Amino acid sequence: MLEHGGLLCVGAKWLGKKKVHLFSEWKHGRKGMVEAIHAMLSECDAVITYNGDKFDLPKLHGEFLLQGLAPPPPLTSIDLYKSVRKLGFFMNRLGFIGPFLGLSNKLEHEGINLWKKVEAGDRDAQRRMADYCKQDVKLTEDLYSKILPYIKNHPYLGDTDPHHCGSCGSEKLQKRGFRRTRCFTIQRIQCTDCGSWQSGARKKVN
C-alpha cells in the first residue's frame, strides 16, 4: 500500500479582496492547515476553482475526514475548467489559458523536485511553493472575472431584489430585446458591468 500523500499547502482568497491566504503544513501543521481552509469554506456562498470538482474539493474533503472534521456546509462549486472547455480553445490548461486571454501566467518551478525540497524542510523551496500557490489563486480570480458572462451555470449571487445582476450583484441592468419560445416571450436583460444575461418578465403567447 502506498503512503497517503496529503497536502503541503492550500491557498484561497475572498473575491475582490487583496489578501491571499496561504495555509501550509510547514507553518500551521497538518491539522491547523486543514482547519483553516475548512473555516473559510464554511463561510462562503460559492467556491471558485480550476478543475476543483475533480481534484481540489475531493482532496480537501478527504483531509477533513482524516482530521475528524464534519463536512463544511453545502455550497455551490464554480469550476472554471468546465466553462473554459466549452469555449472551443485547443488547450485548456490554466498555464495556457491565462496568457492566451491576456492574463498573467502560472509561476515556473522545477517540478517534483520542488515538492521534495519542501518536504525536506528547505525554507527557500517553501517560499517558492507559497508564491506558486498564491499566484494560482490570483490567476483563478482574474480568469473568473474574464469569463464571468460565459459561465452558464453561475449561481444567483444578487440581492433578493430582481433589479440586481444574478452573477455580480450590480444594479446596472438594461433590457435588450426578447427571447422567444413556443409558448412565451421572455425579456432579455444584460448587466452592463459584467456582461451576463438573465431573463426578465415572461409573457405567454396567445
Side-chain angles (χ1 to χ4, degrees):
M1 180 177 178
L2 297 177
E3 182 181 357
H4 173 68
L7 297 174
L8 289 177
C9 63
V10 57
K13 71 185 299 292
W14 298 110
L15 184 65
K17 302 295 183 181
K18 184 176 182 180
K19 182 177 180 179
V20 178
H21 299 270
L22 194 286
F23 310 116
S24 66
E25 190 170 28
W26 61 85
K27 184 176 180 180
H28 303 90
R30 173 62 63 84
K31 187 173 182 61
M33 171 183 64
V34 174
E35 287 178 340
I37 192 62
H38 183 281
M40 287 192 72
L41 287 175
S42 296
E43 291 185 37
C44 64
D45 299 312
V47 59
I48 302 168
T49 64
Y50 200 84
N51 202 31
D53 286 350
K54 185 176 181 180
F55 181 77
D56 303 78
L57 295 179
K59 188 73 173 178
L60 287 175
H61 278 82
E63 291 294 329
F64 297 155
L65 177 61
L66 288 172
Q67 296 301 326
L69 300 174
L75 51 82
T76 299
S77 171
I78 304 174
D79 189 339
L80 302 184
Y81 176 73
K82 294 180 177 180
S83 295
V84 168
R85 286 185 61 189
K86 297 177 181 178
L87 295 175
F89 301 135
F90 68 92
M91 190 180 296
N92 300 315
R93 291 186 295 106
L94 184 59
F96 166 79
I97 291 297
F100 188 64
L101 295 180
L103 306 174
S104 59
N105 203 345
K106 294 170 68 74
L107 294 183
E108 295 184 2
H109 60 80
E110 61 265 39
I112 190 63
N113 287 332
L114 177 61
W115 272 254
K116 292 179 179 179
K117 292 176 182 178
V118 169
E119 290 180 324
D122 186 315
R123 293 294 181 86
D124 181 65
Q126 291 170 351
R127 177 190 58 79
R128 286 184 286 125
M129 176 65 82
D131 290 342
Y132 175 81
C133 186
K134 289 181 179 179
Q135 172 59 15
D136 269 13
V137 173
K138 295 175 184 176
L139 178 54
T140 300
E141 180 181 36
D142 291 342
L143 178 61
Y144 169 75
S145 298
K146 184 77 173 182
I147 69 170
L148 177 57
Y150 291 91
I151 301 176
K152 301 301 183 183
N153 64 335
H154 198 285
Y156 185 83
L157 298 180
D159 199 348
T160 53
D161 186 333
H163 301 295
H164 288 78
C165 173
S167 295
C168 72
S170 172
E171 297 181 4
K172 297 180 180 179
L173 302 179
Q174 287 187 357
K175 295 180 180 179
R176 293 185 174 175
F178 296 88
R179 177 169 62 89
R180 302 175 189 277
T181 68
R182 289 179 59 87
C183 300
F184 294 94
T185 298
I186 306 168
Q187 179 76 64
R188 293 187 311 212
I189 300 176
Q190 186 176 31
C191 174
T192 59
D193 273 342
C194 74
S196 297
W197 291 88
Q198 60 191 54
S199 298
R202 297 158 58 98
K203 183 177 180 182
K204 189 173 179 59
V205 177
N206 295 327

